[in-house]
Amino acid sequence: MLSSLAKPLPIILFAHGGVAKWGKITFFEILEFHRLAEQGYIVVASTFRGEGGSEGKPNLGAGDRADLLNLMKMVQELPEADAEKVGLWGFSRGGGLGYRVLAATDAIDAAFFVGARADHLNSKRRAEFDEFVYPDVVESYAADKDAALTSLSPLFWPEKLSTKTPVYLLHGTADQRVEAWNSIAMARKLDALNRPYELLLINGGSHTLIEHQFRVRQEMDRWFAKHLKPEGL
């Protein structure tokens, strides 16, 4: 509990990468939660339905979006939390989920996406995911594969994203899992719509950007402080 004199703390929601049996929160990410908490944020994250012993069946569409929105509502009710200052940090699949969250709510004050997929339809890994991933986690996939993947791909509906949420797009140019053009193309869409965003491409950077950890931290800290702590804490 905060004392009566203490300020409520801004919130950062984290959406992890991977899906189904590959979906998990890593030890490194937990260390980052602690680091951000030391800066005066309430940091929250969870596995999504059907992962790590959670109830339900993995769902890459409406299911995981509902899980993240419900998590946000829960933490906003904490007396220690500033419900009006909410940030979203998404990595890989979590960044793709983040776009869908921004299409569902204006409550996110700043989004920070690392290696986020914006287009499932034209991914070079589509054949692999067609066989091993999508049939089990995407609704109505067998009925119309292209339509199902388009609904998950914000590159085809950028106008639906919140007009109020500034988005930071961070991508490594050597990302072999989610190609950097996903963030480049998304930035062009946001620019055409005159939406607030920043794009940073790290030359030679991998999917996780672990080898550029200091730069990632530097940019994330700056972004969240700018939008969640305008008056400082």
Side-chain angles (χ1 to χ4, degrees), residues 26-38:
T26 68
F27 179 70
F28 169 75
E29 288 161 349
I30 292 172
L31 293 178
E32 289 298 285
F33 301 164
H34 283 275
R35 189 184 68 82
L36 290 167
E38 289 176 347

Side-chain angles (χ1 to χ4, degrees), residues 139-217:
E139 296 174 72
S140 304
Y141 190 63
D144 190 334
K145 293 181 179 181
D146 284 1
L149 295 184
T150 298
S151 71
L152 296 176
S153 304
L155 200 62
F156 294 95
W157 37 263
E159 71 284 350
K160 294 183 180 180
L161 301 180
S162 171
T163 60
K164 299 180 180 180
T165 306
V167 181
Y168 194 110
L169 305 173
L170 182 56
H171 225 118
T173 62
D175 190 335
Q176 295 298 309
R177 295 187 181 182
V178 179
E179 306 93 319
W181 62 256
N182 281 266
S183 290
I184 296 170
M186 198 65 207
R188 289 173 177 160
K189 295 283 188 177
L190 295 173
D191 192 62
L193 291 167
N194 198 29
R195 301 292 177 82
Y197 79 94
E198 287 189 24
L199 170 68
L200 175 62
L201 301 175
I202 297 185
N203 190 38
S206 67
H207 184 52
T208 64
L209 291 173
I210 188 66
E211 72 279 16
H212 295 281
Q213 177 184 349
F214 178 79
R215 183 67 186 280
V216 174
R217 285 177 167 177

